[in-house]
Amino acid sequence: TGMDETDAAALTVYPNPASGALTVKGPVMHEIEIYDLFGRLLKKETCHGSEVLLDIATLAAGVYVLRVTDDAMQVRTHRVVIY
């Protein structure tokens, strides 16, 4: 893909496990995607800021992968549990 995937060290996601809403803090973010464990994209939001509140109320209970792309086009991933 041409983008570097880095670990979630610079990314804070809480609460985890979560229901209803999820807060994501990190470098200035450009895009947030939520994937199920089969790799299907379930939610995609464009954002501009270092703190984002995501509405996850429509997602079923389970484990998901949060993929955050920052303004420098670096990608960070974080595993999230929704109940």
Side-chain angles (χ1 to χ4, degrees):
T1 63
M3 288 189 253
D4 293 329
E5 292 223 10
T6 59
D7 62 24
L11 195 64
T12 304
V13 179
Y14 63 90
N16 192 11
S19 69
L22 196 61
T23 299
V24 182
K25 284 185 177 182
V28 176
M29 293 170 270
H30 173 71
E31 185 174 75
I32 299 176
E33 299 168 322
I34 298 178
Y35 292 86
D36 65 14
L37 293 181
F38 296 105
R40 292 180 295 222
L41 177 62
L42 302 177
K43 187 173 185 76
K44 181 176 184 175
E45 285 199 20
T46 301
C47 50
H48 299 285
S50 58
E51 183 173 343
V52 176
L53 184 64
L54 282 179
D55 178 8
I56 56 169
T58 59
L59 298 177
V63 179
Y64 296 88
V65 175
L66 193 69
R67 186 174 188 265
V68 179
T69 305
D70 66 19
D71 276 354
M73 300 314 284
Q74 285 194 344
V75 176
R76 291 173 173 81
T77 58
H78 196 89
R79 189 171 296 213
V80 177
V81 177
I82 296 176
Y83 65 93

